[in-house]
Each structure stands twice: as structure tokens, then as C-alpha cells.
mmCIF file of all heavy atoms in Angstrom:
data_model
loop_
_atom_site.group_PDB
_atom_site.id
_atom_site.type_symbol
_atom_site.label_atom_id
_atom_site.label_comp_id
_atom_site.label_asym_id
_atom_site.label_seq_id
_atom_site.Cartn_x
_atom_site.Cartn_y
_atom_site.Cartn_z
ATOM 1 N N ALA A 1 -83.630 1.325 -121.900
ATOM 2 C CA ALA A 1 -82.997 0.821 -123.114
ATOM 3 C C ALA A 1 -84.001 0.078 -123.990
ATOM 4 O O ALA A 1 -83.873 -0.021 -125.167
ATOM 5 C CB ALA A 1 -81.825 -0.083 -122.748
ATOM 6 N N ASP A 2 -85.058 -0.419 -123.327
ATOM 7 C CA ASP A 2 -86.077 -1.197 -124.047
ATOM 8 C C ASP A 2 -86.948 -0.350 -124.967
ATOM 9 O O ASP A 2 -87.640 -0.910 -125.793
ATOM 10 C CB ASP A 2 -86.956 -1.923 -123.010
ATOM 11 C CG ASP A 2 -87.490 -0.975 -121.953
ATOM 12 O OD1 ASP A 2 -86.673 -0.477 -121.135
ATOM 13 O OD2 ASP A 2 -88.703 -0.721 -121.930
ATOM 14 N N VAL A 3 -86.925 0.965 -124.826
ATOM 15 C CA VAL A 3 -87.703 1.786 -125.770
ATOM 16 C C VAL A 3 -86.845 2.815 -126.491
ATOM 17 O O VAL A 3 -87.338 3.590 -127.281
ATOM 18 C CB VAL A 3 -88.897 2.494 -125.089
ATOM 19 C CG1 VAL A 3 -89.901 1.485 -124.544
ATOM 20 C CG2 VAL A 3 -88.431 3.437 -123.960
ATOM 21 N N SER A 4 -85.537 2.842 -126.242
ATOM 22 C CA SER A 4 -84.735 3.962 -126.696
ATOM 23 C C SER A 4 -83.918 3.662 -127.968
ATOM 24 O O SER A 4 -83.698 2.515 -128.301
ATOM 25 C CB SER A 4 -83.773 4.420 -125.604
ATOM 26 O OG SER A 4 -82.627 3.574 -125.598
ATOM 27 N N GLN A 5 -83.467 4.751 -128.607
ATOM 28 C CA GLN A 5 -82.562 4.579 -129.740
ATOM 29 C C GLN A 5 -81.100 4.779 -129.332
ATOM 30 O O GLN A 5 -80.265 5.190 -130.119
ATOM 31 C CB GLN A 5 -82.966 5.506 -130.905
ATOM 32 C CG GLN A 5 -83.255 6.945 -130.591
ATOM 33 C CD GLN A 5 -83.661 7.719 -131.836
ATOM 34 O OE1 GLN A 5 -83.303 7.353 -132.942
ATOM 35 N NE2 GLN A 5 -84.343 8.826 -131.651
ATOM 36 N N PHE A 6 -80.817 4.461 -128.068
ATOM 37 C CA PHE A 6 -79.442 4.602 -127.522
ATOM 38 C C PHE A 6 -78.806 3.248 -127.265
ATOM 39 O O PHE A 6 -79.505 2.312 -126.846
ATOM 40 C CB PHE A 6 -79.500 5.312 -126.161
ATOM 41 C CG PHE A 6 -79.612 6.805 -126.244
ATOM 42 C CD1 PHE A 6 -80.759 7.410 -126.757
ATOM 43 C CD2 PHE A 6 -78.582 7.601 -125.774
ATOM 44 C CE1 PHE A 6 -80.853 8.784 -126.823
ATOM 45 C CE2 PHE A 6 -78.692 8.980 -125.839
ATOM 46 C CZ PHE A 6 -79.825 9.583 -126.357
ATOM 47 N N VAL A 7 -77.500 3.157 -127.474
ATOM 48 C CA VAL A 7 -76.694 2.027 -127.010
ATOM 49 C C VAL A 7 -75.454 2.660 -126.383
ATOM 50 O O VAL A 7 -74.805 3.477 -127.009
ATOM 51 C CB VAL A 7 -76.233 1.134 -128.175
ATOM 52 C CG1 VAL A 7 -75.517 -0.116 -127.625
ATOM 53 C CG2 VAL A 7 -77.377 0.734 -129.081
ATOM 54 N N ILE A 8 -75.157 2.288 -125.153
ATOM 55 C CA ILE A 8 -73.946 2.804 -124.497
ATOM 56 C C ILE A 8 -73.031 1.619 -124.153
ATOM 57 O O ILE A 8 -73.432 0.708 -123.435
ATOM 58 C CB ILE A 8 -74.320 3.575 -123.193
ATOM 59 C CG1 ILE A 8 -75.505 4.504 -123.410
ATOM 60 C CG2 ILE A 8 -73.083 4.291 -122.643
ATOM 61 C CD1 ILE A 8 -75.259 5.674 -124.265
ATOM 62 N N ILE A 9 -71.824 1.666 -124.684
ATOM 63 C CA ILE A 9 -70.870 0.561 -124.477
ATOM 64 C C ILE A 9 -69.579 1.090 -123.878
ATOM 65 O O ILE A 9 -69.157 2.223 -124.175
ATOM 66 C CB ILE A 9 -70.574 -0.147 -125.825
ATOM 67 C CG1 ILE A 9 -71.864 -0.720 -126.465
ATOM 68 C CG2 ILE A 9 -69.544 -1.275 -125.658
ATOM 69 C CD1 ILE A 9 -72.554 -1.832 -125.671
ATOM 70 N N SER A 10 -68.939 0.270 -123.015
ATOM 71 C CA SER A 10 -67.683 0.672 -122.387
ATOM 72 C C SER A 10 -66.500 0.116 -123.189
ATOM 73 O O SER A 10 -66.530 -1.044 -123.567
ATOM 74 C CB SER A 10 -67.583 0.109 -120.966
ATOM 75 O OG SER A 10 -68.121 1.004 -120.066
ATOM 76 N N ASP A 11 -65.514 0.981 -123.379
ATOM 77 C CA ASP A 11 -64.268 0.530 -123.949
ATOM 78 C C ASP A 11 -63.252 0.574 -122.791
ATOM 79 O O ASP A 11 -62.736 1.648 -122.455
ATOM 80 C CB ASP A 11 -63.851 1.473 -125.086
ATOM 81 C CG ASP A 11 -62.523 1.049 -125.727
ATOM 82 O OD1 ASP A 11 -61.753 0.300 -125.085
ATOM 83 O OD2 ASP A 11 -62.259 1.515 -126.851
ATOM 84 N N GLN A 12 -63.022 -0.578 -122.167
ATOM 85 C CA GLN A 12 -62.201 -0.597 -120.939
ATOM 86 C C GLN A 12 -60.715 -0.308 -121.215
ATOM 87 O O GLN A 12 -60.002 0.140 -120.355
ATOM 88 C CB GLN A 12 -62.362 -1.923 -120.223
ATOM 89 C CG GLN A 12 -63.639 -2.027 -119.427
ATOM 90 C CD GLN A 12 -63.819 -0.911 -118.398
ATOM 91 O OE1 GLN A 12 -64.609 0.005 -118.601
ATOM 92 N NE2 GLN A 12 -63.106 -0.974 -117.315
ATOM 93 N N GLN A 13 -60.265 -0.590 -122.439
ATOM 94 C CA GLN A 13 -58.880 -0.266 -122.790
ATOM 95 C C GLN A 13 -58.700 1.253 -122.703
ATOM 96 O O GLN A 13 -57.736 1.719 -122.093
ATOM 97 C CB GLN A 13 -58.535 -0.667 -124.238
ATOM 98 C CG GLN A 13 -57.963 -2.079 -124.386
ATOM 99 C CD GLN A 13 -58.990 -3.143 -124.030
ATOM 100 O OE1 GLN A 13 -60.097 -3.135 -124.529
ATOM 101 N NE2 GLN A 13 -58.628 -4.064 -123.155
ATOM 102 N N GLU A 14 -59.630 2.017 -123.256
ATOM 103 C CA GLU A 14 -59.503 3.469 -123.273
ATOM 104 C C GLU A 14 -60.138 4.117 -122.045
ATOM 105 O O GLU A 14 -60.088 5.330 -121.897
ATOM 106 C CB GLU A 14 -60.206 4.006 -124.541
ATOM 107 C CG GLU A 14 -59.622 3.511 -125.858
ATOM 108 C CD GLU A 14 -58.218 4.070 -126.142
ATOM 109 O OE1 GLU A 14 -57.982 5.257 -125.784
ATOM 110 O OE2 GLU A 14 -57.392 3.327 -126.676
ATOM 111 N N LYS A 15 -60.819 3.311 -121.222
ATOM 112 C CA LYS A 15 -61.534 3.822 -120.048
ATOM 113 C C LYS A 15 -62.580 4.866 -120.443
ATOM 114 O O LYS A 15 -62.744 5.885 -119.772
ATOM 115 C CB LYS A 15 -60.547 4.421 -119.041
ATOM 116 C CG LYS A 15 -59.885 3.397 -118.143
ATOM 117 C CD LYS A 15 -59.104 4.091 -117.054
ATOM 118 C CE LYS A 15 -59.384 3.666 -115.649
ATOM 119 N NZ LYS A 15 -59.143 2.382 -115.192
ATOM 120 N N VAL A 16 -63.283 4.603 -121.533
ATOM 121 C CA VAL A 16 -64.363 5.515 -121.955
ATOM 122 C C VAL A 16 -65.614 4.723 -122.272
ATOM 123 O O VAL A 16 -65.558 3.545 -122.534
ATOM 124 C CB VAL A 16 -63.983 6.369 -123.205
ATOM 125 C CG1 VAL A 16 -62.855 7.329 -122.877
ATOM 126 C CG2 VAL A 16 -63.614 5.464 -124.380
ATOM 127 N N LYS A 17 -66.747 5.441 -122.236
ATOM 128 C CA LYS A 17 -68.004 4.870 -122.718
ATOM 129 C C LYS A 17 -68.283 5.604 -124.015
ATOM 130 O O LYS A 17 -68.052 6.793 -124.141
ATOM 131 C CB LYS A 17 -69.124 5.170 -121.743
ATOM 132 C CG LYS A 17 -69.178 4.226 -120.575
ATOM 133 C CD LYS A 17 -70.375 4.593 -119.709
ATOM 134 C CE LYS A 17 -70.944 3.336 -119.085
ATOM 135 N NZ LYS A 17 -72.168 3.609 -118.340
ATOM 136 N N PHE A 18 -68.814 4.865 -125.000
ATOM 137 C CA PHE A 18 -69.230 5.573 -126.218
ATOM 138 C C PHE A 18 -70.690 5.298 -126.518
ATOM 139 O O PHE A 18 -71.243 4.264 -126.106
ATOM 140 C CB PHE A 18 -68.322 5.215 -127.404
ATOM 141 C CG PHE A 18 -68.297 3.780 -127.815
ATOM 142 C CD1 PHE A 18 -69.170 3.304 -128.796
ATOM 143 C CD2 PHE A 18 -67.445 2.878 -127.210
ATOM 144 C CE1 PHE A 18 -69.135 1.981 -129.202
ATOM 145 C CE2 PHE A 18 -67.428 1.547 -127.580
ATOM 146 C CZ PHE A 18 -68.275 1.091 -128.595
ATOM 147 N N SER A 19 -71.308 6.267 -127.170
ATOM 148 C CA SER A 19 -72.749 6.188 -127.463
ATOM 149 C C SER A 19 -72.987 5.909 -128.921
ATOM 150 O O SER A 19 -72.294 6.429 -129.798
ATOM 151 C CB SER A 19 -73.449 7.504 -127.128
ATOM 152 O OG SER A 19 -73.147 7.901 -125.798
ATOM 153 N N ILE A 20 -73.964 5.077 -129.184
ATOM 154 C CA ILE A 20 -74.482 4.862 -130.531
ATOM 155 C C ILE A 20 -75.964 5.253 -130.494
ATOM 156 O O ILE A 20 -76.706 4.789 -129.636
ATOM 157 C CB ILE A 20 -74.343 3.393 -130.939
ATOM 158 C CG1 ILE A 20 -72.878 2.961 -130.897
ATOM 159 C CG2 ILE A 20 -74.956 3.148 -132.334
ATOM 160 C CD1 ILE A 20 -72.644 1.465 -131.012
ATOM 161 N N ILE A 21 -76.359 6.194 -131.355
ATOM 162 C CA ILE A 21 -77.757 6.646 -131.350
ATOM 163 C C ILE A 21 -78.307 6.447 -132.761
ATOM 164 O O ILE A 21 -77.743 7.003 -133.705
ATOM 165 C CB ILE A 21 -77.849 8.133 -130.966
ATOM 166 C CG1 ILE A 21 -77.179 8.383 -129.602
ATOM 167 C CG2 ILE A 21 -79.320 8.571 -130.908
ATOM 168 C CD1 ILE A 21 -77.171 9.831 -129.162
ATOM 169 N N SER A 22 -79.334 5.626 -132.878
ATOM 170 C CA SER A 22 -79.916 5.374 -134.170
ATOM 171 C C SER A 22 -81.273 4.745 -133.997
ATOM 172 O O SER A 22 -81.444 3.896 -133.090
ATOM 173 C CB SER A 22 -79.034 4.399 -134.974
ATOM 174 O OG SER A 22 -79.751 3.892 -136.084
ATOM 175 N N LYS A 23 -82.235 5.120 -134.856
ATOM 176 C CA LYS A 23 -83.528 4.468 -134.691
ATOM 177 C C LYS A 23 -83.473 2.995 -135.090
ATOM 178 O O LYS A 23 -84.377 2.218 -134.796
ATOM 179 C CB LYS A 23 -84.637 5.218 -135.413
ATOM 180 C CG LYS A 23 -84.604 5.215 -136.905
ATOM 181 C CD LYS A 23 -85.921 5.808 -137.401
ATOM 182 C CE LYS A 23 -86.039 5.597 -138.879
ATOM 183 N NZ LYS A 23 -86.363 6.805 -139.641
ATOM 184 N N ALA A 24 -82.387 2.570 -135.726
ATOM 185 C CA ALA A 24 -82.192 1.154 -136.057
ATOM 186 C C ALA A 24 -82.069 0.296 -134.795
ATOM 187 O O ALA A 24 -82.291 -0.919 -134.869
ATOM 188 C CB ALA A 24 -80.936 0.980 -136.920
ATOM 189 N N VAL A 25 -81.744 0.881 -133.651
ATOM 190 C CA VAL A 25 -81.610 0.071 -132.417
ATOM 191 C C VAL A 25 -82.812 0.196 -131.503
ATOM 192 O O VAL A 25 -82.799 -0.311 -130.372
ATOM 193 C CB VAL A 25 -80.296 0.403 -131.646
ATOM 194 C CG1 VAL A 25 -79.104 0.025 -132.473
ATOM 195 C CG2 VAL A 25 -80.272 1.827 -131.184
ATOM 196 N N VAL A 26 -83.866 0.900 -131.954
ATOM 197 C CA VAL A 26 -85.103 0.863 -131.156
ATOM 198 C C VAL A 26 -85.631 -0.586 -131.235
ATOM 199 O O VAL A 26 -85.798 -1.123 -132.329
ATOM 200 C CB VAL A 26 -86.167 1.823 -131.741
ATOM 201 C CG1 VAL A 26 -87.495 1.678 -130.999
ATOM 202 C CG2 VAL A 26 -85.662 3.252 -131.643
ATOM 203 N N PRO A 27 -85.866 -1.266 -130.105
ATOM 204 C CA PRO A 27 -86.303 -2.670 -130.173
ATOM 205 C C PRO A 27 -87.617 -2.784 -130.939
ATOM 206 O O PRO A 27 -88.359 -1.830 -131.084
ATOM 207 C CB PRO A 27 -86.514 -3.034 -128.688
ATOM 208 C CG PRO A 27 -85.609 -2.091 -127.947
ATOM 209 C CD PRO A 27 -85.619 -0.832 -128.715
ATOM 210 N N ASP A 28 -87.881 -3.975 -131.476
ATOM 211 C CA ASP A 28 -89.129 -4.204 -132.220
ATOM 212 C C ASP A 28 -90.276 -4.344 -131.244
ATOM 213 O O ASP A 28 -91.361 -3.808 -131.460
ATOM 214 C CB ASP A 28 -89.015 -5.459 -133.065
ATOM 215 C CG ASP A 28 -87.940 -5.297 -134.137
ATOM 216 O OD1 ASP A 28 -88.266 -4.607 -135.143
ATOM 217 O OD2 ASP A 28 -86.809 -5.753 -133.966
ATOM 218 N N VAL A 29 -90.020 -5.064 -130.160
ATOM 219 C CA VAL A 29 -91.071 -5.267 -129.163
ATOM 220 C C VAL A 29 -90.457 -5.125 -127.768
ATOM 221 O O VAL A 29 -89.347 -5.580 -127.485
ATOM 222 C CB VAL A 29 -91.647 -6.729 -129.277
ATOM 223 C CG1 VAL A 29 -92.662 -6.987 -128.144
ATOM 224 C CG2 VAL A 29 -92.329 -6.932 -130.618
ATOM 225 N N SER A 30 -91.197 -4.453 -126.881
ATOM 226 C CA SER A 30 -90.760 -4.311 -125.501
ATOM 227 C C SER A 30 -91.872 -4.867 -124.607
ATOM 228 O O SER A 30 -93.009 -4.392 -124.688
ATOM 229 C CB SER A 30 -90.511 -2.835 -125.223
ATOM 230 O OG SER A 30 -90.038 -2.668 -123.926
ATOM 231 N N LEU A 31 -91.537 -5.875 -123.827
ATOM 232 C CA LEU A 31 -92.476 -6.515 -122.908
ATOM 233 C C LEU A 31 -92.189 -5.968 -121.513
ATOM 234 O O LEU A 31 -91.210 -6.375 -120.874
ATOM 235 C CB LEU A 31 -92.348 -8.046 -122.909
ATOM 236 C CG LEU A 31 -92.442 -8.702 -124.298
ATOM 237 C CD1 LEU A 31 -92.123 -10.182 -124.227
ATOM 238 C CD2 LEU A 31 -93.835 -8.491 -124.913
ATOM 239 N N ILE A 32 -92.998 -5.005 -121.067
ATOM 240 C CA ILE A 32 -92.675 -4.282 -119.837
ATOM 241 C C ILE A 32 -93.529 -4.818 -118.701
ATOM 242 O O ILE A 32 -94.732 -4.599 -118.653
ATOM 243 C CB ILE A 32 -92.884 -2.754 -120.056
ATOM 244 C CG1 ILE A 32 -91.974 -2.291 -121.185
ATOM 245 C CG2 ILE A 32 -92.573 -2.010 -118.767
ATOM 246 C CD1 ILE A 32 -92.026 -0.816 -121.479
#
């Protein structure tokens, strides 16, 4: 997740996971 353009979140009401894919969520800095 520290280098990716993915965000995966759980919606427990609906019992599903949903994906958000955007280069806007690529972190600025990753300290590995």
C-alpha cells in the first residue's frame, strides 16, 4: 500500500470490500 495507487476499504454493513484506484493516493514518500 506504501507504493500503490490502491485503497481497499470494507463496508461491514454490506459485507463487501470496495476498491479506490487513483494516482492521487500514491503516497508522497515511502520509508521502507
Side-chain angles (χ1 to χ4, degrees):
D2 50 293
V3 296
S4 81
Q5 47 180 337
F6 279 67
V7 186
I8 314 291
I9 300 295
S10 270
D11 180 342
Q12 282 303 105
Q13 268 68 50
E14 300 291 323
K15 278 188 128 64
V16 293
K17 279 182 147 186
F18 61 94
S19 307
I20 300 169
I21 305 177
S22 165
K23 69 169 190 231
V25 297
V26 175
D28 295 282
V29 176
S30 182
L31 305 173
I32 301 182

